[in-house]
Amino acid sequence: MATDKASAQNSDAAEKQQTGASVRENADASLAGEEGAHTAEAACAVENSQGNKTPFISEVSGHHRRYLKLLEFTHSTTKAAGFMLLGAILSLIVANSPAYGSFLEFWHTEITLGFGSANTSMSLAHIINDIFMCLFFLLVGLEIKYEMTVGELTNIRQAILPVGAAIGGVAVPIIFYVAFNQGSPETLGGWGVPTATDIAFALGILALLGSRVPAGVRVFLSTLAVADDIIAIVVIAVFYGHAPSVLWLLAALVVLGSLTALNRLHFYSLWPYVLLGVVLWYCVFMSGVHATIAGVLLAFTIPTGSRVDLQKFMTWSGDRVREARAAYVETEPVTLQKDYMFTVTRLSSVARQVVPPATRLEHMLYPWVYFAVLPLFALTNADVSFLGGDVLAMVSSPVFFGVFFGLLLGKPIGILLFSFLTVKLKIANLPDHVNWIHMLGAGILGGVGFTMAIFVANLAFPEAVLIADAKIGILSASLLAGVIGFLFLFMQAKAAERQGISYVSASLDEVVRQTAGEEAADMADDVVLGCGDEDLVDDVREVLEAEGGVAEFVVHEIRDEAEAEEAEDVTGTRP
């Protein structure tokens, strides 16, 4: 491999080469919106893979490393998708075994909630679908709010492409479903089933490709899925609730108004929001509107700002650290050092409040939702039994055809068609380094419906046989969409790999990114630091500081002298 110095040029032509790598900076403004979200790195910054020193005593360093590994594991989109897939597979296996009867009996066990005469009973399955899934919708609501406040949906120009694609990805599957079910009034109401994209599965599959696809594909797909979720939530609230009780709806509005007032009055403690959120859930549940909508409404009222003035905090915290250093006596037990304990307690108390409530809640919810709630939902709702049933009748049902082709064909056609029109009409451009093969792969991954699609199917059909037909369509279409979408993107990635090209999305250490963005940044660290040249690392950091902390780079591996000469023509630097 050839070795050269990196030359800093403008974002349109800059190419940086070192240890066989040519890195071209791309000022990917679409990634800048990822600043300010939750991820595991808030804790992982204490000790990273490069072995930075930690403030912990040596006796607990092993426990701390294991904790960081657990934290890293529970914030991986790929592993989250794997857990949900495992839940679905187990459900299918049990549903087609002699244990299925006991399985159903267990999940239909009634649990009584309440005190004295004021109580209600719910089955375990309903607790998962109506209570636990509310946490999922709360997390979805927080992600939507993030995108609308500091993410992709704040910039209309950037948002037009994925939002337009999401609209197409909802409209065309509905056309497919109605085409197969127009002559069947009892099944026509299931038109909402093939409209939803499962963001966890889609991004989990995309994460398997790592740096071999541009970050613009991930940003496009994640923003599309968020816009898709907004549409799905509206569909559930408007079309799939029972006849609403006006009294309970008014009560829900009063509670929602109270939550909004807390936000306006700058209450930053999470507890008042959580307690009123429980009351809101109950009012929505009793109103006839599906109770999970309460999670989204609650998310929109939780503050995304910090109660601490960050500029003043930097000075104040530095003063407290100096006070603690002056008060600390190394020869005395720490519990006897009152001045030291008082100072560090003040510092700790204020430091905890620096992180906005919405970010703290999102950080807390993520592992529980993706590694407990959603796998449980898959376990209880993916149970399609073929024992004693007419399999041919199931796969020839208009519900099956509408859902299957709506997800597998309708989704990519709608996403690609609306994206193509948006670009050709010059309303928006494709993300940097993204071509139409990438867009096709992302569109096919949009057909992975799973969680939200099954959720809507349970609401849309009153009969178990129709729900089963819909689930078969969802599971089979999602499986094929996942595999085909992955293969399309993988083939495009292999073509880029043959040219020695890969993509890395880097960020400064202090930038807090969403989970998928943090995984991409970790891969970038491996590539850049692996070059072993401090000058290149400094150049990358300089670019990141100029671009607001986040940017994408194209890495071009130089394999021979001819490629080195070609790189020299672009960069003006001879290997």
Side-chain angles (χ1 to χ4, degrees):
M1 287 188 181
T3 302
D4 67 63
K5 289 289 181 183
S7 64
Q9 300 180 19
N10 62 45
S11 61
D12 294 326
E15 292 270 346
K16 298 179 175 64
Q17 299 173 286
Q18 181 62 36
T19 318
S22 169
V23 182
R24 175 162 51 87
E25 184 275 329
N26 164 40
D28 190 357
S30 66
L31 288 175
E34 290 185 318
E35 302 179 35
H38 86 281
T39 49
E41 85 282 8
C44 292
V46 179
E47 177 180 345
N48 59 30
S49 58
Q50 280 73 51
N52 290 345
K53 293 181 179 180
T54 76
F56 297 97
I57 61 176
S58 58
E59 288 81 359
V60 301
S61 59
H63 302 310
H64 184 66
R65 281 194 297 270
R66 286 189 287 273
Y67 168 72
L68 292 181
K69 288 184 180 295
L70 176 64
L71 205 61
E72 181 182 359
F73 180 89
T74 55
H75 283 80
S76 165
T77 54
T78 306
K79 294 177 178 65
F83 263 66
M84 284 186 283
L85 182 61
L86 179 61
I89 292 172
L90 287 175
S91 183
L92 285 170
I93 291 173
V94 174
N96 292 278
S97 73
Y100 188 44
S102 301
F103 179 83
L104 286 178
E105 184 179 352
F106 172 76
W107 291 116
H108 285 90
T109 301
E110 292 287 325
I111 302 295
T112 300
L113 305 173
F115 299 94
S117 59
N119 59 69
T120 184
S121 295
M122 297 180 73
S123 68
L124 289 174
H126 277 100
I127 289 175
I128 292 171
N129 291 346
D130 291 335
I131 298 180
F132 288 178
M133 283 299 286
C134 192
L135 297 177
F136 166 69
F137 279 87
L138 174 57
L139 184 59
V140 168
L142 290 170
E143 291 172 347
I144 291 172
K145 187 173 184 179
Y146 166 78
E147 293 294 342
M148 295 176 69
T149 52
V150 295
E152 292 300 309
L153 298 182
T154 57
N155 187 318
I156 299 299
R157 181 77 176 174
Q158 292 175 359
I160 285 175
L161 182 64
V163 170
I167 294 171
V170 169
V172 177
I174 292 175
I175 295 173
F176 269 80
Y177 186 88
V178 171
F180 283 105
N181 290 269
Q182 58 182 340
S184 178
E186 67 273 12
T187 63
L188 194 58
W191 56 267
V193 176
T195 61
T197 296
D198 191 304
I199 186 171
F201 265 121
L203 292 181
I205 294 169
L206 193 60
L208 294 173
L209 293 165
S211 62
R212 287 176 289 188
V213 294
V217 178
R218 176 176 49 77
V219 173
F220 170 80
L221 186 59
S222 60
T223 309
L224 179 150
V226 168
D228 195 284
D229 284 342
I230 296 174
I231 298 171
I233 289 165
V234 173
V235 168
I236 292 171
V238 175
F239 297 101
Y240 291 113
H242 302 294
S245 165
V246 177
L247 184 63
W248 282 108
L249 279 179
L250 288 174
L253 286 175
V254 170
V255 178
L256 185 61
S258 301
L259 285 163
T260 305
L262 286 177
N263 185 306
R264 295 295 183 184
L265 293 171
H266 301 287
F267 277 79
Y268 290 94
S269 173
L270 277 173
W271 282 110
Y273 294 95
V274 172
L275 294 175
L276 281 177
V278 173
V279 178
L280 178 65
W281 174 88
Y282 185 75
C283 293
V284 174
F285 177 76
M286 296 300 293
S287 73
V289 178
H290 201 275
T292 51
I293 301 302
V296 180
L297 297 176
L298 173 61
F300 287 162
T301 66
I302 297 175
T304 55
S306 173
R307 71 191 306 170
V308 178
D309 185 315
L310 299 184
Q311 291 294 334
K312 293 179 180 178
F313 175 74
M314 301 303 292
T315 303
W316 181 88
S317 60
D319 291 341
R320 299 294 80 73
V321 169
R322 283 188 287 273
E323 285 181 13
R325 185 182 293 115
Y328 178 67
V329 180
E330 188 174 354
T331 57
E332 290 185 13
V334 68
T335 52
L336 296 179
Q337 302 183 47
K338 293 183 179 180
D339 291 342
Y340 173 78
M341 292 291 288
F342 175 76
T343 302
V344 296
T345 300
R346 285 180 66 200
L347 179 59
S348 175
S349 176
V350 175
R352 281 198 297 267
Q353 300 175 62
V354 169
V355 181
T359 303
R360 280 187 277 132
L361 183 59
E362 191 177 359
H363 191 187
M364 288 187 291
L365 284 176
Y366 189 93
W368 291 104
V369 168
Y370 283 103
F371 287 86
V373 173
L374 291 184
L376 276 175
F377 177 81
L379 186 64
T380 55
N381 289 276
D383 56 328
V384 179
S385 179
F386 299 102
L387 298 177
D390 189 344
V391 179
L392 185 60
M394 289 182 179
V395 297
S396 59
S397 159
V399 172
F400 170 81
F401 283 129
V403 172
F404 180 82
F405 290 109
L407 286 171
L408 190 61
L409 296 180
K411 270 288 184 182
I413 290 174
I415 291 171
L416 264 292
L417 177 62
F418 277 59
S419 298
F420 182 79
L421 291 175
T422 302
V423 172
K424 289 303 176 183
L425 292 174
K426 301 187 184 302
I427 299 173
N429 299 317
L430 289 180
D432 290 322
H433 309 127
V434 175
N435 57 39
W436 286 107
I437 300 296
H438 290 134
M439 294 293 286
L440 177 58
I444 296 172
L445 287 181
V448 180
F450 200 69
T451 304
M452 197 72 84
I454 291 177
F455 191 86
V456 174
N458 288 334
L459 301 175
F461 301 113
E463 299 179 22
V465 64
L466 296 179
I467 295 175
D469 293 345
K471 286 179 180 179
I472 295 173
I474 294 166
L475 294 174
S476 53
S478 297
L479 176 62
L480 286 173
V483 172
I484 296 171
F486 175 83
L487 289 177
F488 261 93
L489 291 173
F490 181 75
M491 288 188 293
Q492 182 66 19
K494 292 299 288 184
E497 186 179 359
R498 284 193 292 271
Q499 300 174 39
I501 295 174
S502 60
Y503 308 89
V504 294
S505 171
S507 62
L508 297 173
D509 292 340
E510 56 266 29
V511 172
V512 183
R513 306 179 66 182
Q514 286 183 304
T515 298
E518 178 60 21
E519 290 180 304
D522 288 341
M523 295 175 187
D525 288 343
D526 292 339
V527 173
V528 176
L529 295 174
C531 293
D533 187 271
E534 292 183 2
D535 290 339
L536 178 62
V537 175
D538 290 341
D539 286 338
V540 169
R541 185 172 184 86
E542 181 180 334
V543 169
L544 290 174
E545 290 173 347
E547 297 302 327
V550 183
E552 181 180 69
F553 297 82
V554 178
V555 178
H556 182 199
E557 182 182 357
I558 300 173
R559 298 188 178 92
D560 53 36
E561 186 67 19
E563 289 188 9
E565 292 176 359
E566 182 180 351
E568 180 187 14
D569 293 337
V570 177
T571 65
T573 303
R574 176 64 181 170

